[in-house]
Amino acid sequence: MDNNWIIDNLNYAFGVWNDKLTEMWSLLTQSPQAFKGGTIWQTIQTVNGAMQGIGLLVLFLAIGIFRSSASFRDFQRPEHVLRHFIYFVMAKLAVTYGIDLMVDIFAVCAGIISTAAGSVGGIDGAAVSLPAEIASAIEDVGFLTSIPLWLVTLLGCLLTTVLAFLMILTVYGRFFRLYLYAALSPVALASFAGEGTSQMGRAFLKSYMGVCLEGAVIVLACIVFSAFAASDTVVLGGGSVVTQVWGYLGEVIFNMLVLVGLVKGADRVVREVFGM
């Protein structure tokens, strides 16, 4: 009996996984300015410019002055006024050129990502394909045996497709977070105008650097997955073809689960390793 439709289903699912893996790899080395042709970045720049009002700077400056002033006499001291004036000027520069600063931070982190990606030359080893031994075993099964085999492959294909989309959605989510940080940067960076509120701006920059470094963690996860995929060898043991196919799919899906888990937990890894 011709069981090519079972093989085609498996090849289709593995093709989806490989396509999403390749797309994820290209997204990790892409800048926010070039993502989707730069249209989203232009919108973010417009929002960022609209939020660069002087009101927030004055508000944080006032909060900083009142927090650091023990009495009204402090306002009469020139050094007290000068210190807060310097805070205000630095905050104004940070708000005005904040988006350029964020682009530079991303470029540095992108350099780390490119170095890690270039060390292995790509993710060809992470591509998943149906081994010839499994395909031959599937082609030789009879009609009755093909029914449970169809159920096993259907479940494997479904899990593979779901994991592929979960992985790529996580990477797209990272891009959207980068855009949100860029759009809201004037609000956070304006906090540098106040001596007592500057920790908000520092926390913002640390968190943004953490999002940028998530790409490096994801790349390293892909490299580890490539090593796992390259070291796996197909060994057909005894038992029915259904058992053999289920054993192979179970091993492949387990490796995929490990990769997807690392990709989705990249933010937690960055916080634990770098404290961001």
Side-chain angles (χ1 to χ4, degrees):
M1 178 182 177
D2 187 8
N3 292 309
N4 287 334
W5 57 278
I6 298 178
I7 299 174
D8 290 342
N9 285 341
L10 288 172
N11 286 330
Y12 173 78
F14 291 159
V16 171
W17 171 265
N18 294 334
D19 290 342
K20 297 306 177 185
L21 198 64
T22 303
E23 183 181 0
M24 181 186 70
W25 190 263
S26 63
L27 286 175
L28 292 173
T29 56
Q30 194 175 40
S31 66
Q33 302 96 302
F35 182 65
K36 296 296 183 181
T39 305
I40 304 177
W41 183 251
Q42 293 174 3
T43 303
I44 295 302
Q45 285 182 310
T46 303
V47 175
N48 182 279
M51 300 185 71
Q52 293 182 12
I54 199 70
L56 284 172
L57 288 169
V58 174
L59 174 62
F60 284 114
L61 175 64
I63 294 174
I65 290 175
F66 284 107
R67 279 188 175 184
S68 61
S69 300
S71 65
F72 184 75
R73 289 182 180 273
D74 290 335
F75 292 97
Q76 300 175 353
R77 291 159 45 198
E79 65 274 13
H80 183 77
V81 176
L82 179 61
R83 186 172 76 252
H84 287 288
F85 177 74
I86 293 174
Y87 272 106
F88 180 83
V89 172
M90 293 178 61
K92 176 59 178 174
L93 291 174
V95 169
T96 303
Y97 301 102
I99 197 165
D100 296 326
L101 173 64
M102 300 183 75
V103 170
D104 292 338
I105 292 175
F106 181 87
V108 172
C109 296
I112 298 174
I113 295 172
S114 299
T115 301
S119 64
V120 293
I123 53 169
D124 294 336
V128 180
S129 60
L130 187 65
E133 298 91 334
I134 296 292
S136 299
I138 293 175
E139 289 177 346
D140 294 337
V141 300
F143 174 74
L144 294 178
T145 308
S146 67
I147 297 176
L149 184 60
W150 177 82
L151 296 175
V152 168
T153 54
L154 180 63
L155 180 59
C157 293
L158 179 61
L159 289 174
T160 301
T161 305
V162 170
L163 290 174
F165 278 97
L166 282 176
M167 179 177 62
I168 196 66
L169 281 175
T170 302
V171 178
Y172 270 97
R174 172 178 173 267
F175 255 106
F176 277 95
R177 280 187 291 157
L178 290 173
Y179 287 132
L180 290 176
Y181 274 93
L184 295 173
S185 62
V187 178
L189 296 177
S191 64
F192 284 113
E195 185 176 0
T197 59
S198 59
Q199 71 274 6
M200 182 188 301
R202 292 194 296 268
F204 172 82
L205 291 177
K206 287 179 61 178
S207 181
Y208 174 73
M209 290 179 62
V211 175
C212 293
L213 286 173
E214 285 178 22
V217 176
I218 295 174
V219 166
L220 291 175
C222 291
I223 294 174
V224 173
F225 177 81
S226 300
F228 269 103
S231 63
D232 285 341
T233 56
V234 180
V235 179
L236 297 181
S240 65
V241 176
V242 177
T243 303
Q244 296 173 6
V245 172
W246 179 248
Y248 168 73
L249 289 178
E251 186 175 2
V252 171
I253 292 173
F254 175 78
N255 290 337
M256 291 178 177
L257 278 170
V258 173
L259 176 59
V260 173
L262 288 173
V263 170
K264 293 186 69 64
D267 56 340
R268 181 175 56 83
V269 174
V270 170
R271 286 197 301 269
E272 292 178 354
V273 174
F274 301 102
M276 295 178 177

